[in-house]
């Protein structure tokens, strides 16, 4: 992005910004679909990941200046400071809420997984005639949260 930012800025200034944003978003969508398909089909490898990352970086180096300069055309100069502050707040909120939500989902999935393993171990111990030691649900949830917290 750093190497292409100046030529991308010139390209953005000399062309239709909305059209550039639409094209760049379409290319980023194609990149994401291609990454999904390569991963799903099992054909993904390190050189392909590097090529996709390079392609995404090149497209992003054009898309970011086009999107940011499009903001002036959308809101006008009078409301530009408020629009920039609102845009920055949205990005920073997503940086906070996104990982927090992901950690919550991982903790719930881990708690469910621990309960499944607990049921399997208990049934195997009961099958052999041994008495299983059962841990309560809150203790298992606490263990899952501690494992997720220690992992990250």
């Amino acid at each position: 992005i750093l190497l292409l930012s100046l030529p991308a800025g010139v390209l953005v200034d000399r062309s239709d910004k909305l059209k550039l944003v639409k094209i760049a978003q379409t290319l980023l969508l194609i990149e994401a679909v291609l990454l999904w398909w390569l991963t799903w089909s099992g054909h993904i490898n390190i050189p392909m990941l590097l090529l996709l990352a390079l392609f995404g970086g090149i497209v992003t180096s054009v898309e970011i200046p086009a999107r940011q300069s499009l903001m002036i055309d959308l809101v006008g100069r009078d409301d530009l400071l408020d629009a920039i502050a609102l845009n920055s707040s949205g990005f920073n909120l997503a940086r906070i809420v996104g990982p927090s939500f992901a950690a919550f989902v991982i903790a719930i999935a881990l708690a469910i997984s621990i309960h499944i393993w607990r049921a399997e171990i208990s049934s195997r111990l009961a099958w052999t005639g041994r008495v299983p030691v059962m841990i309560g649900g809150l203790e298992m949830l606490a263990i899952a949260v501690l494992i997720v917290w220690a992992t990250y």
Side-chain angles (χ1 to χ4, degrees):
I1 293 177
L2 180 64
L3 296 175
L4 297 176
S5 62
L6 292 176
V10 171
L11 176 68
V12 167
D13 287 339
R14 294 183 180 178
S15 59
D16 184 21
K17 295 169 187 64
L18 183 60
K19 188 174 184 178
L20 273 178
V21 170
K22 287 180 181 180
I23 291 170
Q25 289 292 318
T26 304
L27 290 174
L28 289 172
L29 173 69
I30 291 170
E31 177 204 13
V33 169
L34 184 61
L35 177 62
W36 168 81
W37 184 80
L38 288 171
T39 304
W40 180 75
S41 66
H43 292 97
I44 194 73
N45 54 25
I46 300 297
M48 279 301 239
L49 281 175
L50 291 175
L51 282 174
L52 286 172
L54 177 67
F55 178 74
I58 291 170
V59 172
T60 303
S61 69
V62 174
E63 194 264 341
I64 290 175
R67 185 171 25 93
Q68 289 176 345
S69 65
L70 188 63
M71 190 180 304
I72 297 171
D73 297 337
L74 290 174
V75 298
R77 296 215 179 262
D78 295 337
D79 296 326
L80 185 60
L81 290 177
D82 294 333
I84 290 172
L86 187 61
N87 189 28
S88 298
S89 299
F91 274 104
N92 289 329
L93 183 66
R95 288 179 185 164
I96 294 169
V97 172
S100 301
F101 180 72
F104 177 73
V105 169
I106 290 170
I108 295 299
L110 188 59
I112 291 170
S113 176
I114 287 174
H115 281 296
I116 291 171
W117 278 102
R118 184 182 71 172
E120 181 180 345
I121 290 170
S122 298
S123 64
R124 286 183 185 207
L125 288 175
W127 183 263
T128 60
R130 299 182 186 142
V131 177
V133 176
M134 297 299 290
I135 299 176
L138 288 177
E139 289 88 359
M140 292 302 285
L141 184 61
I143 291 170
V145 169
L146 286 175
I147 290 172
V148 170
W149 181 73
T151 304
Y152 293 100

